[in-house]
Amino acid sequence: MDALAGLLEGPRARGAFMIRACFDPPWAVRVEDRAPLTVMLMVRGDAWVVPDTGERLRLRAGDLAIARGPDPYTCADDPGTEPRAVILPGGECGYPDGLPLNGSMDLGVRTWGDRPDGAAVLLIGTYLVRGEIGGRLLDALPPLLSLTSEQWDCPLTPLLMAEVTRDEPGQEVVLDRLLDLLVIAALRSWFAGPSAEPPAWYRALGDPVAGRALRLLQDDPAHPWTVASLAAGAGVSRAALARRFTELVGEPPMAYLTGWRLALAADRLRDTDDTLGAIARQVGYGSAFALSTAFKRVYGVSPQEYRAPTA
């Protein structure tokens, strides 16, 4: 498993919110949907992304921005334009005074705004659910990042433009997969750039000692790993592995393994109907009780409470 694959390992988009937004200036939309991750691809014209805190960002045609939630922000033709609509959780839309829009800006299948051939056109894809493996990715990202058209060339734009307005059986699944590909392509370019600040364990994957041990843990978390067996796999002594791993990753190998196993378990609790016993075996715990005890110690709730849908 390479470094980026390890970072992106986890749940993928399922029923993501995908829309083509088309506006004529002046326009501004306030985003308060608390979504964990939103991708904005500027297809035509330009726009500003203005977070409540931090630096604002200008997008031109071909540029892409990724906003890490849940903090709100505003998209506009100009930073001074007052919002005329507010995006709320679940894709609900309203006026700034709280009244619902009631579809007044709907322009057809997954198209929203002033008119379909507006001066500014954005493709927007939003992941609605945060998974624990996805949490590792989100923790590696700044609140707002961007890639200019000079930094990357996105071959997915024409395909996304063609697919987003289609209304055919299985279309949501097609769009989910395209959104995943867009995110992977964008983050691969961003992580390769000088402004990226990936987490310590991501950087450690490039180390011949710690990286080898990390790949062993990530590829087979259910194996009964010990420091000795990891050291043997990395071709070094136990002391050398423990020292190098802790230095680069920021925690000892067994502590990292515990966090990785519980993160995997959290994903499976939310994304599958597997029993707790089955999940325990999949992630390296000897029993449902052992997993439940460790899970509650770290997450503060039992696996059953974590799995229960929130209102």
Side-chain angles (χ1 to χ4, degrees):
M1 180 182 295
D2 63 44
L4 190 61
L7 187 62
L8 295 174
E9 182 67 15
R12 300 289 185 259
R14 292 187 304 180
F17 180 73
M18 196 91 176
I19 197 167
R20 181 170 64 111
C22 311
F23 299 108
D24 287 320
W27 63 271
V29 177
R30 173 80 171 167
V31 181
E32 298 180 354
D33 60 3
R34 301 190 63 80
L37 193 73
T38 297
V39 183
M40 293 164 276
L41 179 60
M42 201 77 211
V43 178
R44 184 166 67 238
D46 55 69
W48 288 88
V49 182
V50 185
D52 284 8
T53 59
E55 295 185 6
R56 61 196 185 190
L57 173 70
R58 186 169 189 177
L59 295 178
R60 295 178 173 84
D63 295 353
L64 174 140
I66 295 180
R68 170 174 61 82
D71 294 339
Y73 53 92
T74 299
C75 292
D77 70 307
D78 183 89
T81 303
E82 290 295 322
R84 52 193 271 207
V86 180
I87 309 299
L88 301 169
E92 295 295 323
C93 304
Y95 291 103
D97 61 7
L99 293 175
L101 279 171
N102 292 326
S104 61
M105 297 181 71
D106 291 346
L107 299 174
V109 177
R110 300 185 192 88
T111 304
W112 188 77
D114 296 322
R115 57 189 179 93
D117 56 347
V121 176
L122 298 93
L123 289 177
I124 302 171
T126 300
Y127 289 76
L128 301 177
V129 178
R130 174 174 176 142
E132 287 305 318
I133 305 300
R136 286 180 176 249
L137 170 61
L138 296 175
D139 292 342
L141 303 178
L144 184 64
L145 67 88
S146 68
L147 289 167
T148 67
S149 57
E150 289 78 23
Q151 292 173 301
W152 80 314
D153 180 21
C154 181
L156 296 171
T157 302
L159 186 56
L160 281 164
M161 284 290 288
E163 293 289 341
V164 72
T165 57
R166 289 187 179 178
D167 188 15
E168 299 178 2
Q171 193 64 20
E172 284 192 358
V173 176
V174 173
L175 292 173
D176 284 348
R177 299 292 74 77
L178 287 175
L179 178 58
D180 292 336
L181 289 172
L182 179 64
V183 169
I184 291 170
L187 291 181
R188 184 171 61 185
S189 295
W190 184 75
F191 271 102
S195 62
E197 297 181 2
W201 66 264
Y202 179 92
R203 296 192 300 269
L205 281 165
D207 183 76
V209 174
R212 174 60 178 161
L214 277 166
R215 288 183 178 86
L216 290 171
L217 296 177
Q218 290 181 347
D219 289 346
D220 192 5
H223 185 81
W225 293 109
T226 64
V227 176
S229 61
L230 281 174
V236 297
S237 69
R238 286 180 294 177
L241 172 67
R243 181 173 59 253
R244 188 66 174 165
F245 194 101
T246 304
E247 175 188 347
L248 294 179
V249 179
E251 59 184 342
M254 294 300 101
Y256 175 86
L257 177 59
T258 296
W260 179 245
R261 284 172 168 171
L262 293 177
L264 290 171
D267 270 346
R268 284 163 170 72
L269 286 166
R270 285 278 174 87
D271 300 333
T272 75
D273 295 323
D274 293 349
T275 66
L276 190 58
I279 293 173
R281 291 189 295 273
Q282 292 164 10
V283 302
Y285 281 88
S287 67
F289 177 78
L291 172 58
S292 182
T293 301
F295 194 94
K296 190 168 185 177
R297 182 175 64 250
V298 172
Y299 286 86
V301 296
S302 70
Q304 290 80 5
E305 291 172 318
Y306 185 88
R307 171 173 264 174
T310 56

